[in-house]
Amino acid sequence: MAGRPFDLLNDSLGKEVLVILKMGRQVRGVLLAFDVHMNLVVDDAELTEQDGTVKKLGRILVRGDTVVIVAPSQ
Amino acid sequence: MAGRPFDLLNDSLGKEVLVILKMGRQVRGVLLAFDVHMNLVVDDAELTEQDGTVKKLGRILVRGDTVVIVAPSQ
Amino acid sequence: MAGRPFDLLNDSLGKEVLVILKMGRQVRGVLLAFDVHMNLVVDDAELTEQDGTVKKLGRILVRGDTVVIVAPSQ
Amino acid sequence: MAGRPFDLLNDSLGKEVLVILKMGRQVRGVLLAFDVHMNLVVDDAELTEQDGTVKKLGRILVRGDTVVIVAPSQ
Amino acid sequence: MAGRPFDLLNDSLGKEVLVILKMGRQVRGVLLAFDVHMNLVVDDAELTEQDGTVKKLGRILVRGDTVVIVAPSQ
Amino acid sequence: MAGRPFDLLNDSLGKEVLVILKMGRQVRGVLLAFDVHMNLVVDDAELTEQDGTVKKLGRILVRGDTVVIVAPSQ
Amino acid sequence: MAGRPFDLLNDSLGKEVLVILKMGRQVRGVLLAFDVHMNLVVDDAELTEQDGTVKKLGRILVRGDTVVIVAPSQ
């Protein structure tokens, strides 16, 4: 129970995640990589803008300091 | 009385916490892990958006620099 | 007179403080602990939101980088 | 699958990328260089402002801490 | 003339200062202490909120990263 | 092609650049100097405010952490 | 031409400067001192608020991380 927070990222590699970003954006896709800054590579990424617009972006790099929450799909 | 602030996180492992985030969001769930950056893993997480919308997100990683307050349930 | 700013926190342990936070929130309660990042543990904490709503939160951790002012009760 | 996030930047050198910036701006162009701070050089850069205005800027330096997402063209 | 900026804080110990904070707040009082982060202790502090409301707060700690300007009384 | 981002600043010394800043400001002028923080000296600088007002400022120092994009004139 | 940005501050000691700050404030006065964080001491300082209000503040300390531009008078 008292593991490290980044274990959750490690356990989510290859799985679908929802990434909630600052300023009301969110990204849904498959987590491919992460680093200590919480920079993420997400594949088949679908970006939802604050106004609800959705863009399919393929494989993307998300900068760690814009992340609020990473939620692996249940 | 003069313990360290992170002792409160340690004492809250496995218990329900309310996490108040910047920009008016908050998360309620069971604290599973934390690190020195205040990154948190919260289980059975329920996210309340600024507009009151509630989303059940399961087990999530909350980035430490978005945290304002962590309040263990009384 | 030329002490260090954190002496004021040390002198306030066990006493009531008002903590003014960024974004218009404030917390009132008893200061139980602090660290070099100005992370605080406040007991019997009463959080006042920007819109005036008050919540009793019990014992909480306040993240240091959200603090603007700590005012011990006079 | 568990590579490092910056591998995606390395693989995108010489290719077209979409760079989403904080505050609603975005840049489209060819990625020429990057560093550990995610500072980017983008060639044939087309900047779209938040209000939809488009400017052709040629070869530009984008400061890393303003980046939200880098999406190589699919 | 080419002294160090913190000399001005040192010269102001025990004297009245006006501290202008981010987000439109300001504090007036007697400077009692400061550190390298520009954390300040101000005595007989009077806080003016952005909307003009004034609160007498006594002896307070002001977090350095919220400071914009420190102006010793002339 | 895989040079370092700051090479673009080095190649732009003595040439006209457009510097886009956070909060909607921009500066046009001749780049005279830069450092690792992306602090810039710009000569014959013309500052355009968010509301379109233009000010001629001569030789100025631009703080690096306010920079979004540096675009050498084509 | 390829000097260091802080040379401009050094050359401006004892001269009038315009300091443009984040959030629309600006300060005009004589530069007396600076440090590596771009903290500045400005004498005979005149602060112009975002709404155009002007305050004469005498000798002040300006915190470096609120600075956008320093423009020595021409």
Side-chain angles (χ1 to χ4, degrees):
Chain A
M1 190 165 66
R4 293 162 302 170
F6 277 69
D7 290 350
L8 187 66
L9 293 181
N10 202 52
D11 295 347
S12 303
L13 287 170
K15 300 182 186 156
E16 195 181 294
V17 293
L18 169 70
V19 185
I20 299 179
L21 302 177
K22 290 175 183 160
M23 311 306 293
R25 289 182 176 110
Q26 62 182 53
V27 168
R28 193 176 289 273
V30 177
L31 185 67
L32 288 195
F34 66 90
D35 64 20
V36 293
H37 304 290
M38 223 179 272
N39 295 318
L40 309 173
V41 175
V42 178
D43 204 9
D44 294 324
E46 203 177 78
L47 168 69
T48 306
E49 296 281 1
Q50 196 165 11
D51 63 4
T53 321
V54 176
K55 290 182 204 163
K56 290 189 178 294
L57 293 176
R59 186 173 297 190
I60 67 174
L61 172 61
V62 177
R63 188 173 161 96
D65 69 0
T66 67
V67 171
V68 178
I69 287 171
V70 182
S73 286
Q74 297 172 272
Chain B
M1 190 165 66
R4 293 162 302 170
F6 277 68
D7 290 351
L8 187 65
L9 293 181
N10 203 52
D11 294 347
S12 303
L13 287 170
K15 299 180 186 158
E16 195 181 295
V17 293
L18 170 70
V19 185
I20 299 180
L21 303 177
K22 290 175 183 159
M23 313 305 294
R25 288 182 177 110
Q26 61 182 54
V27 167
R28 195 177 287 274
V30 176
L31 185 67
L32 289 195
F34 67 91
D35 64 20
V36 293
H37 304 290
M38 223 179 272
N39 295 319
L40 309 173
V41 175
V42 179
D43 203 10
D44 293 324
E46 202 178 78
L47 168 69
T48 307
E49 295 281 1
Q50 196 165 12
D51 64 4
T53 321
V54 176
K55 288 182 206 164
K56 290 188 178 295
L57 293 175
R59 186 171 297 190
I60 67 175
L61 172 61
V62 178
R63 188 174 161 95
D65 70 0
T66 67
V67 171
V68 177
I69 287 171
V70 182
S73 286
Q74 297 172 273
Chain C
M1 190 165 66
R4 293 161 302 171
F6 277 69
D7 291 351
L8 188 64
L9 293 181
N10 204 51
D11 295 347
S12 303
L13 287 170
K15 299 180 187 158
E16 194 181 295
V17 294
L18 169 69
V19 185
I20 299 180
L21 302 178
K22 289 175 184 159
M23 312 305 293
R25 288 184 178 109
Q26 62 182 54
V27 167
R28 195 177 287 274
V30 176
L31 185 67
L32 289 195
F34 66 90
D35 64 20
V36 294
H37 303 291
M38 222 179 272
N39 295 318
L40 309 172
V41 175
V42 179
D43 202 9
D44 292 325
E46 201 178 79
L47 168 69
T48 307
E49 295 281 0
Q50 196 166 12
D51 63 4
T53 321
V54 176
K55 287 182 207 164
K56 291 190 178 295
L57 293 176
R59 186 171 297 188
I60 67 174
L61 172 62
V62 178
R63 188 174 161 95
D65 70 0
T66 68
V67 172
V68 178
I69 287 172
V70 181
S73 287
Q74 297 172 272
Chain D
M1 190 165 67
R4 293 162 303 171
F6 277 68
D7 290 350
L8 188 66
L9 293 181
N10 203 53
D11 294 347
S12 303
L13 287 169
K15 299 182 186 156
E16 195 181 294
V17 294
L18 169 70
V19 185
I20 299 179
L21 302 177
K22 289 174 183 161
M23 310 306 292
R25 290 184 176 108
Q26 61 182 54
V27 167
R28 194 176 289 273
V30 176
L31 185 68
L32 288 194
F34 66 90
D35 64 19
V36 293
H37 304 290
M38 222 179 272
N39 295 318
L40 309 173
V41 175
V42 178
D43 204 8
D44 294 324
E46 203 178 78
L47 168 69
T48 306
E49 295 281 2
Q50 196 166 12
D51 63 4
T53 321
V54 176
K55 290 182 203 162
K56 289 189 179 294
L57 293 175
R59 186 172 297 189
I60 67 173
L61 172 62
V62 178
R63 188 173 161 96
D65 70 1
T66 67
V67 172
V68 178
I69 286 172
V70 182
S73 287
Q74 297 173 272
Chain E
M1 191 165 64
R4 292 161 302 171
F6 277 68
D7 291 351
L8 188 65
L9 293 181
N10 204 51
D11 295 348
S12 304
L13 287 170
K15 298 181 186 156
E16 195 181 294
V17 294
L18 170 69
V19 185
I20 299 179
L21 302 178
K22 288 175 184 160
M23 310 306 292
R25 288 183 178 111
Q26 62 182 52
V27 168
R28 195 176 287 273
V30 177
L31 185 66
L32 289 195
F34 66 90
D35 64 19
V36 294
H37 303 291
M38 221 179 274
N39 295 318
L40 310 172
V41 175
V42 179
D43 203 9
D44 292 326
E46 203 178 79
L47 168 69
T48 307
E49 295 281 0
Q50 196 165 11
D51 62 5
T53 320
V54 176
K55 288 182 205 163
K56 290 190 179 294
L57 293 176
R59 186 171 296 189
I60 67 173
L61 172 62
V62 178
R63 188 174 160 94
D65 71 359
T66 67
V67 171
V68 178
I69 287 172
V70 182
S73 287
Q74 298 172 273
Chain F
M1 191 165 66
R4 292 161 303 171
F6 277 69
D7 290 351
L8 188 65
L9 293 181
N10 204 51
D11 294 348
S12 303
L13 287 170
K15 299 181 186 157
E16 195 181 294
V17 294
L18 169 70
V19 185
I20 300 179
L21 302 178
K22 288 174 184 162
M23 309 307 292
R25 290 184 177 106
Q26 61 182 53
V27 167
R28 194 176 289 273
V30 177
L31 185 67
L32 288 195
F34 66 90
D35 65 19
V36 294
H37 303 291
M38 220 180 273
N39 295 318
L40 309 173
V41 175
V42 178
D43 204 9
D44 294 325
E46 204 178 78
L47 168 69
T48 307
E49 295 281 2
Q50 196 165 11
D51 63 4
T53 321
V54 176
K55 289 183 203 161
K56 290 189 179 295
L57 292 176
R59 186 172 297 188
I60 67 174
L61 172 62
V62 177
R63 189 174 161 96
D65 70 0
T66 67
V67 171
V68 178
I69 286 172
V70 182
S73 286
Q74 296 172 274
Chain G
M1 192 165 63
R4 292 160 303 170
F6 277 68
D7 290 351
L8 187 64
L9 292 182
N10 204 50
D11 295 347
S12 303
L13 287 170
K15 299 181 186 157
E16 195 181 294
V17 294
L18 170 69
V19 185
I20 300 179
L21 302 178
K22 288 175 185 161
M23 310 306 293
R25 289 183 177 109
Q26 62 182 53
V27 167
R28 195 176 288 274
V30 176
L31 185 66
L32 289 195
F34 66 90
D35 65 19
V36 294
H37 303 291
M38 221 179 275
N39 295 318
L40 309 172
V41 175
V42 179
D43 203 9
D44 293 325
E46 203 178 79
L47 168 69
T48 308
E49 295 281 1
Q50 196 165 11
D51 62 5
T53 321
V54 176
K55 289 182 203 162
K56 289 189 180 295
L57 293 176
R59 186 172 296 187
I60 67 173
L61 172 62
V62 178
R63 189 174 161 95
D65 70 0
T66 67
V67 171
V68 178
I69 286 172
V70 182
S73 287
Q74 298 173 274

